[in-house]
Amino acid sequence: MNDRLLRACRREKTDTRPVWFMRQAGRYLPEYRRIREKYDLLTICRTPELAAEVAATPVEKFGLDAAIVFADLLTPLEGMGITIKLIENGGPFVDEPIKSPQDVKRLKRFEPDAVAYVCDSIRMLSGLLGDVPIIGFCGAPFTLASYLIEGRASRDLIETRRFMLTAGEAWRELMDKLTDMALEYLKMQIKAGARVVQIFDSWVGCLNPSQYTTYILPHMRRLLDQLSTHNTPIIHFTTGNPALLSAISSAGGHVISVDWRIDIGEAWRVVGYDKAIQGNLDPAILLASPATIKQAAEEILRKTADRPGHIFNLGHGIHPATPPENVKLLVGIVREFDANC
Amino acid sequence: MNDRLLRACRREKTDTRPVWFMRQAGRYLPEYRRIREKYDLLTICRTPELAAEVAATPVEKFGLDAAIVFADLLTPLEGMGITIKLIENGGPFVDEPIKSPQDVKRLKRFEPDAVAYVCDSIRMLSGLLGDVPIIGFCGAPFTLASYLIEGRASRDLIETRRFMLTAGEAWRELMDKLTDMALEYLKMQIKAGARVVQIFDSWVGCLNPSQYTTYILPHMRRLLDQLSTHNTPIIHFTTGNPALLSAISSAGGHVISVDWRIDIGEAWRVVGYDKAIQGNLDPAILLASPATIKQAAEEILRKTADRPGHIFNLGHGIHPATPPENVKLLVGIVREFDANC
C-alpha cells in the first residue's frame, strides 16, 4: 500500500511527501482529450469503465500518490432531483436554478441510488490502481448552492450572495439540505473504497470573515464534525480569500488545502500546526519555464520542510493549457528535493 | 469647498467622514440608463457634456463628497495606439491583444491629445459641481496589461500570468510603458482640475505576495513615487487578495482602498496607520434589506472610528442591480453615525 497520503493527512513522517494534483485527469492530457472526442463529460462520469480509466491514467503516467474519483462537482445534485445539462463548450449547468424559498423546498432528499455509478467507478479504479489510495470528493454547501442559484460558474456570484443575505430561513434550509447530501454522498464513497475525502469550497472566497462566520461556518462545522466519526481523513479546500483561513481551519478538516494567493509558510502558521496542509503551487507556474517551475516548487518545499504533514499539490486545478511534460518535471522536482532532505 | 475627501486623505479631522462610491455613475441609476439608451459607453466617455452630466448626477442626488471622472479603464490605451471596441452587451475590449514581445514594442508612447476629451470632461464637471472635488483615475499597469493581453476581463487571467512569468524583458518593457502612460495620463487629469487620483489595480489579486513583489511592486513604486511629487493625494485600490495588502501598502499611495474580503480594522492594521484607508462595504450588501445594510455599514464605521483617515466606500463598484434608494439609505447611515460620534 502507498500510504504517503494517509500518513501525511495524520502528520506522520513519510519517505517522500505525497504528490497529487487537482484536475490531474483533465483536458491537459492527450489521453483524456482522445476519450473526450468520443464521449461528453457527463457520459464519462456516468460510465464507470471510462471514469476509472481517466482517473487512473495520470497516476500511472506520473507516479502520483493518489487518484481522485472522476466526477463533476454537480454530480451529486442529480441525487436531489436536479437536472444537469451541458453547454456548448462542454461545461455543465443546472437547468432550473433556484430563484425562491419555494425552490429550496422542492429540493429532494439525496437519493444515493441515482449516482451509484460513482461507487462503481471507485471500485473499478481500486482494481486498476491496486495500492494507490483513492480520494472521494464533494462540493461544499456554499459552492454547490452557488451553482444551484447561478446555474453555472459566475464571476461575482451576486445572486448567490443576495440569496444568502436576504433569504433567512430558506438559506439555512438550503445549506442544511446540501450538508445532509454531502454527508451521505461522501459516506457512500468511503464505503465504496475512498480512503480520503476532499470537500471543495471553491467559490467561498468571495465572502468576508464576518459573512463566512454567520452564513457558512455552522454548516461546515456540522458537516466536518459528523464526517469525522468515519475515521477517514478529510481535506478541506478553498480558494480566493486568505483572510478566511483562520475561520476555515476552525470549521474543521484534518488537512487544509490552500490556493496560491498566500505564502504557504504563513498559511500553515494561520491554519495551525495541529492540521496538515495541502498546496499551493500557482497553476500558472506550470505554463512557465523549467527554471521558474523549479524555483517556485522549491520555495514551497523549503517552507514546509520543518515538519511532517505537507501534501504537495497546486493551489487549484491544472490548467488545460499545461504541457504534460511540465507535470512530470514537477513530480521529479518534489521527489528529488525530498530525497536530499 | 467640500474638503472632506482631501482632509481624510491627509488623515485630518473632518465634520463627517467623506462618502463616495466606485461606479456611483452607473447602470443602477435610471438617469444613467436613460442616457445609455441613446449613446453607447464610449460615446459618453468621449463627449464631455455627457460624461460630466453622468458623473455629476449621483453627487447631486445623494449628496456625495466626491465625483469621479466618467471614463473607461481602457480609455488611456487609445492614447497608445490601441483600438477599443464594444462587444454586444456594451463592454469594451481590445481589438488586437498583445501576444508576443514584438506586440509590446509596437505600443506607442502615450499621446495626451488622443484623450484630451477627458480633460474637457473634468473642466465641465468642475463647472457643474462647484465645490465638490473630482477624482481622476487610471488603471494600474498590471490591470491594464491584463486587458491588453486577454483582450477583455477574464476569470483566471491565465494568458497575462503566463506572459508575466515567461516574457522576461518584454514584461518589464510592458510595465514600464504602462507606468509612463499612467504618469502622463494622471498628471494631465490633475492639471485639468482633478484634486485626488485613484489607481485601480482591480485584478492584481490573482497574484501571490512573491509574484507581486517580483513582477509588480517595482513598477507601482515608481508610479506612486513619481506621482507623489505633484502634491495630489493618491488612492491605491486593489481587490481579490488580502495577503497582498502589506506589499501593496509598501508600494505607496496616501490612501489604501481595500475590497470587502477582509475586516477593515484588520486591514488598516496591516496597511499601517500612517496611511488613510478607503472601503470596504461588500457591494452585495446593497442588494439586501435596510437592517442588513445598517448592520454591515455600522460595523465598518465603528471599526474605523478611532482615528481620522477613513473614506467610506464600497469594496468594489456598485452592482447594476442595486436599488438607488439603498444608496441613499447608506449615505444617511454614515452621516447619522458620524453626527452621533
Side-chain angles (χ1 to χ4, degrees), chain B residues 42-55 70 115-125 128:
Chain B
L42 295 180
T43 303
I44 300 176
C45 293
R46 289 166 183 156
T47 312
E49 292 78 4
L50 294 172
E53 182 188 337
V54 299
F70 192 87
V115 292
Y117 56 77
V118 173
C119 295
D120 296 335
S121 138
I122 291 173
R123 281 184 286 263
M124 224 165 254
L125 185 54
L128 290 178

Short mmCIF file of all heavy atoms in Angstrom, two decimals, chain B residues 42-55 70 115-125 128:
data_model
loop_
_atom_site.label_atom_id
_atom_site.label_comp_id
_atom_site.label_asym_id
_atom_site.label_seq_id
_atom_site.Cartn_x
_atom_site.Cartn_y
_atom_site.Cartn_z
N LEU B 42 -18.67 54.25 -24.96
CA LEU B 42 -17.52 55.02 -25.42
C LEU B 42 -17.93 56.41 -25.88
O LEU B 42 -17.18 57.38 -25.70
CB LEU B 42 -16.78 54.27 -26.53
CG LEU B 42 -16.14 52.94 -26.09
CD1 LEU B 42 -15.42 52.27 -27.26
CD2 LEU B 42 -15.17 53.14 -24.93
N THR B 43 -19.13 56.52 -26.45
CA THR B 43 -19.61 57.85 -26.86
C THR B 43 -19.79 58.75 -25.65
O THR B 43 -19.44 59.94 -25.68
CB THR B 43 -20.93 57.71 -27.65
OG1 THR B 43 -20.70 56.85 -28.76
CG2 THR B 43 -21.44 59.06 -28.13
N ILE B 44 -20.33 58.20 -24.58
CA ILE B 44 -20.49 59.01 -23.36
C ILE B 44 -19.11 59.45 -22.84
O ILE B 44 -18.90 60.62 -22.54
CB ILE B 44 -21.27 58.23 -22.26
CG1 ILE B 44 -22.66 57.85 -22.78
CG2 ILE B 44 -21.39 59.07 -20.99
CD1 ILE B 44 -23.47 56.99 -21.81
N CYS B 45 -18.16 58.50 -22.80
CA CYS B 45 -16.81 58.85 -22.33
C CYS B 45 -16.20 59.97 -23.17
O CYS B 45 -15.50 60.83 -22.66
CB CYS B 45 -15.87 57.64 -22.42
SG CYS B 45 -16.28 56.31 -21.28
N ARG B 46 -16.44 59.91 -24.49
CA ARG B 46 -15.77 60.84 -25.42
C ARG B 46 -16.51 62.16 -25.59
O ARG B 46 -16.07 63.02 -26.35
CB ARG B 46 -15.62 60.16 -26.79
CG ARG B 46 -14.59 59.04 -26.79
CD ARG B 46 -14.71 58.20 -28.05
NE ARG B 46 -13.77 57.07 -28.03
CZ ARG B 46 -13.95 55.95 -28.72
NH1 ARG B 46 -15.03 55.80 -29.49
NH2 ARG B 46 -13.06 54.98 -28.64
N THR B 47 -17.69 62.29 -24.97
CA THR B 47 -18.48 63.52 -25.13
C THR B 47 -18.53 64.23 -23.78
O THR B 47 -19.29 63.83 -22.90
CB THR B 47 -19.91 63.17 -25.61
OG1 THR B 47 -19.83 62.26 -26.72
CG2 THR B 47 -20.68 64.41 -26.02
N PRO B 48 -17.68 65.26 -23.59
CA PRO B 48 -17.55 65.87 -22.26
C PRO B 48 -18.88 66.28 -21.63
O PRO B 48 -19.06 66.10 -20.43
CB PRO B 48 -16.65 67.07 -22.53
CG PRO B 48 -15.79 66.63 -23.68
CD PRO B 48 -16.69 65.80 -24.55
N GLU B 49 -19.82 66.80 -22.41
CA GLU B 49 -21.11 67.20 -21.84
C GLU B 49 -21.81 66.00 -21.20
O GLU B 49 -22.36 66.11 -20.10
CB GLU B 49 -22.05 67.77 -22.93
CG GLU B 49 -21.63 69.10 -23.52
CD GLU B 49 -20.50 68.96 -24.56
OE1 GLU B 49 -20.10 67.81 -24.87
OE2 GLU B 49 -20.00 70.00 -25.02
N LEU B 50 -21.81 64.87 -21.91
CA LEU B 50 -22.47 63.67 -21.39
C LEU B 50 -21.70 63.09 -20.20
O LEU B 50 -22.28 62.73 -19.18
CB LEU B 50 -22.59 62.60 -22.49
CG LEU B 50 -23.50 62.95 -23.68
CD1 LEU B 50 -23.35 61.89 -24.77
CD2 LEU B 50 -24.95 63.07 -23.22
N ALA B 51 -20.37 63.01 -20.35
CA ALA B 51 -19.54 62.44 -19.28
C ALA B 51 -19.69 63.26 -18.01
O ALA B 51 -19.79 62.70 -16.90
CB ALA B 51 -18.08 62.38 -19.73
N ALA B 52 -19.71 64.58 -18.15
CA ALA B 52 -19.84 65.45 -16.97
C ALA B 52 -21.22 65.28 -16.35
O ALA B 52 -21.37 65.19 -15.13
CB ALA B 52 -19.59 66.90 -17.36
N GLU B 53 -22.23 65.17 -17.19
CA GLU B 53 -23.59 65.03 -16.66
C GLU B 53 -23.75 63.73 -15.86
O GLU B 53 -24.26 63.74 -14.73
CB GLU B 53 -24.61 65.05 -17.82
CG GLU B 53 -26.05 64.96 -17.31
CD GLU B 53 -27.07 64.80 -18.44
OE1 GLU B 53 -26.76 65.18 -19.59
OE2 GLU B 53 -28.17 64.26 -18.15
N VAL B 54 -23.30 62.60 -16.43
CA VAL B 54 -23.48 61.33 -15.71
C VAL B 54 -22.62 61.28 -14.44
O VAL B 54 -23.02 60.68 -13.44
CB VAL B 54 -23.24 60.08 -16.60
CG1 VAL B 54 -24.21 60.03 -17.76
CG2 VAL B 54 -21.81 59.99 -17.08
N ALA B 55 -21.47 61.95 -14.47
CA ALA B 55 -20.61 61.96 -13.27
C ALA B 55 -21.21 62.83 -12.16
O ALA B 55 -21.03 62.56 -10.98
CB ALA B 55 -19.21 62.45 -13.62
N PHE B 70 -15.88 60.41 -15.48
CA PHE B 70 -16.52 59.31 -16.18
C PHE B 70 -15.67 58.94 -17.39
O PHE B 70 -15.64 59.65 -18.39
CB PHE B 70 -17.95 59.65 -16.61
CG PHE B 70 -18.68 58.43 -17.08
CD1 PHE B 70 -19.35 57.63 -16.16
CD2 PHE B 70 -18.65 58.04 -18.41
CE1 PHE B 70 -20.01 56.47 -16.57
CE2 PHE B 70 -19.30 56.88 -18.82
CZ PHE B 70 -19.98 56.10 -17.90
N VAL B 115 -6.71 61.70 -25.96
CA VAL B 115 -7.78 61.57 -24.97
C VAL B 115 -8.02 62.91 -24.25
O VAL B 115 -8.41 62.93 -23.08
CB VAL B 115 -7.50 60.43 -23.97
CG1 VAL B 115 -7.59 59.08 -24.66
CG2 VAL B 115 -6.15 60.59 -23.30
N ALA B 116 -7.80 64.00 -24.99
CA ALA B 116 -7.98 65.34 -24.41
C ALA B 116 -9.41 65.52 -23.91
O ALA B 116 -9.66 66.34 -23.01
CB ALA B 116 -7.63 66.40 -25.45
N TYR B 117 -10.34 64.73 -24.46
CA TYR B 117 -11.74 64.85 -24.01
C TYR B 117 -11.90 64.58 -22.52
O TYR B 117 -12.83 65.07 -21.89
CB TYR B 117 -12.66 63.96 -24.85
CG TYR B 117 -12.31 62.49 -24.88
CD1 TYR B 117 -12.60 61.64 -23.82
CD2 TYR B 117 -11.69 61.92 -26.01
CE1 TYR B 117 -12.29 60.28 -23.86
CE2 TYR B 117 -11.36 60.57 -26.06
CZ TYR B 117 -11.67 59.75 -24.99
OH TYR B 117 -11.37 58.41 -25.02
N VAL B 118 -11.00 63.79 -21.96
CA VAL B 118 -11.07 63.52 -20.51
C VAL B 118 -10.87 64.82 -19.72
O VAL B 118 -11.55 65.08 -18.73
CB VAL B 118 -10.04 62.44 -20.10
CG1 VAL B 118 -9.98 62.27 -18.59
CG2 VAL B 118 -10.38 61.10 -20.76
N CYS B 119 -9.92 65.65 -20.19
CA CYS B 119 -9.67 66.94 -19.52
C CYS B 119 -10.87 67.87 -19.68
O CYS B 119 -11.26 68.57 -18.73
CB CYS B 119 -8.43 67.60 -20.09
SG CYS B 119 -6.96 66.64 -19.74
N ASP B 120 -11.44 67.88 -20.87
CA ASP B 120 -12.64 68.71 -21.08
C ASP B 120 -13.75 68.27 -20.15
O ASP B 120 -14.49 69.09 -19.60
CB ASP B 120 -13.11 68.59 -22.54
CG ASP B 120 -12.08 69.15 -23.51
OD1 ASP B 120 -11.28 70.01 -23.08
OD2 ASP B 120 -12.05 68.71 -24.67
N SER B 121 -13.86 66.96 -19.97
CA SER B 121 -14.93 66.45 -19.12
C SER B 121 -14.69 66.84 -17.66
O SER B 121 -15.64 67.17 -16.94
CB SER B 121 -15.03 64.93 -19.35
OG SER B 121 -15.23 64.23 -18.16
N ILE B 122 -13.43 66.85 -17.23
CA ILE B 122 -13.12 67.28 -15.85
C ILE B 122 -13.47 68.76 -15.68
O ILE B 122 -14.09 69.15 -14.68
CB ILE B 122 -11.62 67.04 -15.53
CG1 ILE B 122 -11.35 65.53 -15.44
CG2 ILE B 122 -11.21 67.75 -14.23
CD1 ILE B 122 -9.88 65.16 -15.29
N ARG B 123 -13.10 69.59 -16.66
CA ARG B 123 -13.38 71.03 -16.54
C ARG B 123 -14.88 71.28 -16.52
O ARG B 123 -15.39 72.10 -15.74
CB ARG B 123 -12.71 71.80 -17.69
CG ARG B 123 -11.21 72.02 -17.43
CD ARG B 123 -10.55 72.87 -18.51
NE ARG B 123 -10.38 72.13 -19.75
CZ ARG B 123 -9.24 71.51 -20.11
NH1 ARG B 123 -8.16 71.58 -19.33
NH2 ARG B 123 -9.16 70.85 -21.24
N MET B 124 -15.61 70.56 -17.35
CA MET B 124 -17.06 70.74 -17.40
C MET B 124 -17.71 70.27 -16.09
O MET B 124 -18.63 70.89 -15.58
CB MET B 124 -17.61 69.93 -18.56
CG MET B 124 -18.62 70.71 -19.36
SD MET B 124 -18.90 69.93 -20.94
CE MET B 124 -18.03 71.05 -22.01
N LEU B 125 -17.19 69.16 -15.56
CA LEU B 125 -17.70 68.61 -14.30
C LEU B 125 -17.43 69.60 -13.15
O LEU B 125 -18.31 69.82 -12.29
CB LEU B 125 -17.02 67.26 -14.04
CG LEU B 125 -17.46 66.41 -12.84
CD1 LEU B 125 -18.95 66.16 -12.83
CD2 LEU B 125 -16.71 65.08 -12.85
N LEU B 128 -20.08 72.13 -13.21
CA LEU B 128 -21.38 71.65 -12.72
C LEU B 128 -21.41 71.53 -11.20
O LEU B 128 -22.44 71.79 -10.57
CB LEU B 128 -21.70 70.26 -13.31
CG LEU B 128 -22.03 70.16 -14.80
CD1 LEU B 128 -22.26 68.70 -15.18
CD2 LEU B 128 -23.27 70.99 -15.12
#
